[in-house]
Each structure stands twice: as structure tokens, then as C-alpha cells.
Amino acid sequence: MGVTPETEMGREASVMHVRCPERVPEDVYRQVLEQMAELSSVVQALPPSAALAELRGALRYHGVDAVRLGEVLRVRTVSRLGVDVRVGIGPSISVAATASGRVPAPGGVLAVPAGRVTEWLAPLPVEALHGIGPRQAQALRDYGVHTVGLLAAIPPATAQRLLGGRPGRQAADRARGVDPRPVVPRALPATASVRRDFTRQALDGAGVRAALLDLVVALALRLRRAGQAARGLTLTLRFAGGTAWERTRRLAEASAHEDDLRTLAYRLMDAAGLQRGRITAITLKADDLVEASRVAEQISLDAVRESRLVAEAAVDRIRARFGPDAVRPAATFLRVS
């Protein structure tokens, strides 16, 4: 699709909004963020599949226009990751995000010149304006406001009456191209994951559960060695035919202990309600990692738990000397290939 040269845009059009394909895997999304960080030092993650970048410094550093940076990003994500992206460029977050939403799949670059924002926005359907949800769009349409230009033309007080105080004021401002929000650098919380692929479709429930326990042990050991603790777990099951099931749950408190991770992982597996699902892969991910030294150790009156923690520390020393498989739960020997 057509793009607008930076010479027509002026320096103000320096916000880039990037949309990845829906349901993009988190590891691929993280790699897209890394590609953006190679172009700009100010990148704001908007999980699960979008991101912002402030390009002012990047334009000076790279010596190219904003459209060129958008095209470079697309080439890199396609060639390196096999993922195309939709890129919108404008003088503000809402304009850039509205522009990226107008790029047809699978990808492209659309830039809106700073001096032509209201002209470009005016004919768009009101629901195309970034920040306008389906209910808000319907409320505006019921009042006869079908386009962004009409929204910009009505008094702000009317927009506030139709959409509510703050949302109405924001919608009226954005319809006029006014959005003072800055791009704020924000990375995704750290995660760690382990995965098990089956050479043939796994049907045996006990074998699948043993494979999950194997992943728990490996993940917990990785976290402890890195001095990290997880605040939550995500379990992803992939099935024959390419479908997947995924659930996330939070731990009561951040932990890297096998008992805590195993209990939550089993609850996630139980929630899947598997009967005879043909599983091809299991991924267990530790979410929202923090430094273990920052986790307050709670006084426990559970003697069994305390004994297991002491044993875990001893087992870690054995594994450090003889390898991670030197000591494993007996159940993990029930494997499925």
C-alpha cells in the first residue's frame, strides 16, 4: 500500500505503532520487540501483540525517514522471524495506532503526515479511531455520528454526555488529532520456559503427567540456578492438527520450589479436562520473574514442607556436581516418546 515520505510528514510524525498477527506466540512477540529495539531506544510493549516506538532519536541516528524504518522493521521480522507486521506512523500514539489498524493483513506501512491528521481521520468510520470500542461506536452511531470527522465536529460536552466524562473527552480530542501521551519505555516481564515434544502423539495420561513433572523439575532448577522466582505459570498443550490449549495461573507467592510449581502445574493440567487428547507438545512457562532475594520467606509451620525444602537444597548440590539428571522424581521415569 502507499506510504507518505518523511519530507512531507515533518519531524512531528515520529511515533510508530506495530501490530503483530493475532495470537502470535510470546517468544516470537519478544523477538519482534528486540527487532524494534535495534531501531529505537524507546520501545513500549503493548502485550499481547502490539508495541510502540518513539522515533525522534532514531531518525537522527539512522539518517533515514520514519517510513524507511518501518519498512526495515518489516523486512527484518519477515526474514528473521517469518512474521509480517502492520506498521502505523503518526505524530501521536492514537494516530499511529489508528494508522496501523488501517493496514490490511498480512502487513504494510502507513504514515500520516503531521499536517494532514484531521484530513486523514475525518472520513474514517468512527470505530476505526484508536480507543473507540464497539459499545462507544454504537452510542455515537445512535446519535448520528458515523465518522471521525463528525465526532471532531460535535461539541466536546456532547461527546462526554454520550460516552462519559473522561472517555468522551479523550475521544473528542483524538478525533481532532490531539493525544499528548508520550511513548514510555516498557519491556515485558521476564519469563523462562521449558518444552517437551513427543515423537508420536501422546495419549497415556500417566505418561503425559510424568512429562509435565519432568518439566517442573527442569524449570524449577533453572530458576534456582539463576536466582529467580516465578509469580505465575502458563501451561500450553499442543494437539495433533495444530490446535492448542493454554492457561495461566498465579502462585500465592513467588517461588522457585518444585513443590509449589508442581502443585500449580498439576492444577493447570487438571483444568484442561483431557480425555483422549492427542498431545504433540507441552510447554511450561514461568511468568513474571523476580529476583529470589526480593521474595520474603514466610515462616512455615508445615514440617513436611520445610523438610522438602532442605532436601531440595541438598539435591541441588548433588545436581551441581553430577549433572541435572543425577536425582529425579521416580515418576519422571515413566516417559512417553
Side-chain angles (χ1 to χ4, degrees), residues 149-162:
L150 290 174
L151 176 57
I154 64 175
T158 301
Q160 289 179 283
R161 186 168 63 253
L162 293 173

Side-chain angles (χ1 to χ4, degrees), residues 158-219:
T158 301
Q160 289 179 283
R161 186 168 63 253
L162 293 173
L163 304 179
R166 184 178 179 184
R169 183 172 63 253
Q170 288 179 339
D173 286 344
R174 293 174 186 177
R176 296 174 176 85
V178 177
D179 184 2
R181 294 175 297 165
V183 178
V184 180
R186 185 176 69 191
L188 288 179
T191 64
S193 63
V194 287
R195 175 171 170 148
R196 172 73 182 281
D197 291 288
F198 302 117
T199 55
R200 62 174 183 267
Q201 299 164 11
L203 290 170
D204 178 43
V208 171
R209 207 172 186 86
L212 177 59
L213 179 57
D214 220 1
L215 294 180
V216 168
V217 171
L219 183 59

